[in-house]
Amino acid sequence: MASLLYQQIEMLSREKHIEPEVVVSAIEDAMVVAARKYYKSEEDLRGKFNQETGQVDVFAVMTVVEEVTDPKKEVSLADAKKKNPAAEIGTEIITTKPTDVLGRIAAQTAKQVILQKVREAERDTIFNEYHNRVGELVTVIVKRAEGPDLIVDMGRTEARLPKREQSRLETYNIGERLRVVIKMVDRAAKGPQVIVSRADASLVQRLFEMEVPEIYDGTVQIRHAAREAGERTKVAVASRDKDVDPVGACVGMKGMRVQSIIRELRGEKIDIIPFSEETVAFAQKALSPAKVTRVQITDPENHKLEVIVEDSQLSLAIGKKGQNVRLASKLIGWDIDIKSEEEKRREIEEQMTALTAPTTPLTALAGVGAKTIEKMEAAGITNVEQLAGMTPEQLMEIPGIGEKMVDKIYQAVNRFYEGGAEGAAAATAEGGESAAEGAETAEAQPAEASAESEAAGGEAPASQEAAAEAAPHDSGETNEKAEEANS
């Protein structure tokens, strides 16, 4: 007959939904820990639970070897034969350790170990049961609040309903029954491991499966769903049977099916949209109840769409605080840019004006050298109007243009717009005359230098070489000055 202790173990196992062997193993490990702490020994200790007597025996186990290297865990063959004449190399010699002397402290240690082992076994059981049920619809009862989170009773265990998984417009009372979906199972959580949700889009899908038989048997499929909990949900449905209308099946007779789901979600609006494989057609339906004039794919690689609607439909298409277009974008998986017909018309007019507007070449700028103009043209700046719209930081990003050159360019642009094109042309002519005079002066100087060198008896070349060696070789300012001289 099983002992009273073993009967208690079985009761605990049924209550915690764990196997009795797990509790027995925890008791044996606890007695070993208590005995090791009492005897302060590093021997190989093992525990054995007797179901009939309820006694837990502790043994010290030593292995028989030819040469002893660890006296605490090994014993020689000669010493082993003194205790057991049948001992051989590799066998184990077992010595019983008294447990009636362990005392109160050892018992308290054993209790803590047992509780810890049972708790770990219970958490492992919960994880193994629920981690395969993620996304399943379950009914729970609100048990208590822990800060902004709620602890709910699932029957077998407790679950957590975090604040972020609660609907924004819902309030919950203790003892209230809720339908939730299992969001995840966190094995490392300190409190309840199971996380449930009232805000996930899968809750709406599970509710449709319960209310619509065509979805449950697979005739109608929910292809996508996008939700902002407490406010609006968009569901895209498709039918595998051409004779079954997917939207009508979900709405039901006089809207009974969808109204039942809306009541469960406490008034949340639900848009049921027919799914389409064509992105353009799907986008037109996704923006309902707004009527879309046309849809154009602007960037297929980055999934971007441009949607044009009538002026009166723009606010409806965007929705309250952009909710309608945001949900539609989530539903189809594309970024949507909504414009009214008037906005699109103005945009086209501006583009046409920009294409037909006259442009002024960079060469019309007085005081800007040809090399600088080449650098700007290499960076894609081809006219004065484009240059005027750039910031100093953008200009300094062009290779070879420094801060001083940027100031010079802006001065030239300001002179161009202040004096007009005629003033710029006149300044250009003046600049050309100055450059010509500079060139004449430069030509005259070498001749004078050569004459002086002849008079000095050939000493000038040597002094020129010395000056060349003494001159600095690198300078960004020198390049800028040279460009100024060229201009």
Side-chain angles (χ1 to χ4, degrees):
M1 182 178 178
S3 64
L4 180 61
L5 177 59
Y6 189 74
Q7 294 176 8
Q8 295 293 327
I9 290 173
E10 289 183 331
M11 290 177 60
L12 179 64
S13 301
R14 286 193 295 270
E15 180 182 347
K16 300 294 184 181
H17 304 284
I18 56 179
E19 297 295 330
E21 290 77 10
V22 175
V23 183
V24 170
S25 176
I27 293 174
E28 293 174 349
D29 293 343
M31 291 301 295
V32 168
V33 171
R36 183 173 284 113
K37 187 172 183 179
Y38 175 81
Y39 289 109
K40 296 180 175 59
S41 173
E42 296 182 2
E43 296 176 302
D44 184 11
L45 301 180
R46 299 177 188 175
K48 181 66 176 177
F49 177 75
N50 191 324
Q51 295 186 12
E52 295 181 359
T53 62
Q55 179 70 25
V56 182
D57 299 321
V58 178
F59 306 97
V61 181
M62 303 185 74
T63 304
V64 180
V65 295
E66 293 182 357
E67 185 177 352
V68 177
T69 57
D70 187 358
K72 297 176 182 178
K73 297 181 181 180
E74 297 175 347
V75 63
S76 64
L77 181 61
D79 293 338
K81 285 187 175 294
K82 294 178 182 178
K83 297 181 180 180
N84 183 8
E88 297 179 357
I89 300 298
T91 57
E92 294 179 343
I93 301 298
I94 298 175
T95 305
T96 304
K97 290 282 188 179
T99 56
D100 54 352
V101 295
L102 296 182
R104 179 180 59 82
I105 296 177
Q108 185 67 23
T109 302
K111 177 184 177 181
Q112 293 176 355
V113 173
I114 292 171
L115 291 175
Q116 181 181 355
K117 293 282 186 180
V118 170
R119 193 177 299 114
E120 290 176 358
E122 184 181 9
R123 293 177 67 83
D124 289 341
T125 301
I126 293 172
F127 179 82
N128 294 332
E129 179 179 354
Y130 287 100
H131 83 280
N132 290 325
R133 297 175 59 185
V134 173
E136 183 178 321
L137 182 68
V138 294
T139 302
V140 299
I141 300 175
V142 179
K143 196 170 184 180
R144 65 182 183 276
E146 290 187 357
D149 299 347
L150 293 177
I151 305 301
V152 296
D153 186 6
M154 298 182 66
R156 292 279 300 273
T157 185
E158 290 182 345
R160 181 179 296 276
L161 180 61
K163 180 66 176 178
R164 65 179 183 275
E165 299 297 339
Q166 300 174 19
S167 179
R168 279 179 274 178
L169 301 182
E170 291 182 356
T171 55
Y172 309 100
N173 301 316
I174 305 300
E176 185 178 1
R177 298 176 68 88
L178 300 174
R179 283 179 176 172
V180 297
V181 289
I182 299 175
K183 185 70 177 289
M184 62 177 293
V185 183
D186 186 3
R187 195 167 199 164
K190 293 183 179 180
Q193 296 173 269
V194 183
I195 309 298
V196 296
S197 174
R198 282 278 296 178
D200 197 79
S202 60
L203 174 64
V204 182
Q205 297 185 42
R206 300 290 90 80
L207 291 173
F208 268 107
E209 289 175 1
M210 287 185 59
E211 295 292 337
V212 183
E214 289 84 354
I215 293 180
Y216 183 79
D217 62 21
T219 304
V220 175
Q221 295 178 327
I222 297 178
R223 301 297 296 270
H224 299 286
R227 185 183 183 205
E228 290 192 1
E231 297 183 11
R232 183 180 290 271
T233 297
K234 287 183 179 287
V235 180
V237 294
S239 176
R240 299 175 63 184
D241 188 344
K242 62 181 182 179
D243 295 329
V244 176
D245 177 18
V247 176
C250 294
V251 172
M253 184 69 68
K254 297 183 180 179
M256 292 179 60
R257 292 176 177 176
V258 72
Q259 286 299 326
S260 175
I261 297 172
I262 290 173
R263 284 194 299 272
E264 175 62 34
L265 299 177
R266 304 186 184 185
E268 183 175 317
K269 297 177 182 178
I270 299 177
D271 295 338
I272 303 173
I273 299 162
F275 175 78
S276 176
E277 295 289 350
E278 296 181 2
T279 304
V280 172
F282 192 21
Q284 289 179 333
K285 299 293 185 182
L287 285 166
S288 65
K291 295 180 180 179
V292 177
T293 303
R294 64 183 181 275
V295 178
Q296 182 179 357
I297 297 176
T298 56
D299 191 349
E301 294 183 358
N302 296 320
H303 286 196
K304 292 185 178 180
L305 293 173
E306 183 181 69
V307 176
I308 310 301
V309 298
E310 295 180 2
D311 297 350
S312 60
Q313 294 286 311
L314 182 60
S315 60
L316 185 60
I318 294 174
K320 184 180 179 181
K321 297 180 181 179
Q323 183 186 83
N324 192 56
V325 67
R326 189 165 56 247
L327 286 174
S329 180
K330 289 180 183 179
L331 191 69
I332 66 177
W334 287 63
D335 292 336
I336 299 177
D337 182 17
I338 292 186
K339 298 177 181 178
S340 67
E341 291 184 347
E342 180 64 22
E343 289 175 345
K344 186 63 176 177
R345 185 183 61 79
R346 288 199 302 265
E347 181 181 327
I348 294 174
E349 288 179 354
E350 290 174 0
Q351 292 175 354
M352 294 298 294
T353 303
L355 290 174
T356 57
T359 57
T360 307
L362 295 176
T363 52
L365 291 176
V368 180
K371 292 184 178 179
T372 304
I373 291 175
E374 290 178 3
K375 293 174 183 177
M376 289 190 291
E377 288 178 345
I381 306 169
T382 58
N383 55 72
V384 177
E385 290 77 14
Q386 185 180 0
L387 179 62
M390 297 186 66
T391 62
E393 292 77 10
Q394 292 173 331
L395 283 175
M396 291 182 67
E397 292 177 359
I398 300 174
I401 294 183
E403 186 175 352
K404 292 183 178 180
M405 184 57 66
V406 170
D407 293 338
K408 183 179 177 182
I409 291 171
Y410 271 99
Q411 290 174 8
V413 172
N414 290 335
R415 285 197 302 268
F416 174 82
Y417 280 106
E418 288 174 0
E422 295 179 358
T428 305
E430 292 176 3
E433 293 174 2
S434 301
E437 291 175 2
E440 291 175 1
T441 306
E443 289 176 358
Q445 287 177 351
E448 294 174 1
S450 61
E452 291 177 0
S453 65
E454 289 177 0
E459 294 180 357
S463 62
Q464 289 175 359
E465 291 176 2
E469 291 177 0
H473 292 288
D474 75 318
S475 173
E477 295 181 1
T478 304
N479 294 335
E480 291 181 358
K481 290 178 180 178
E483 292 179 7
E484 291 176 5
N486 291 335
S487 62

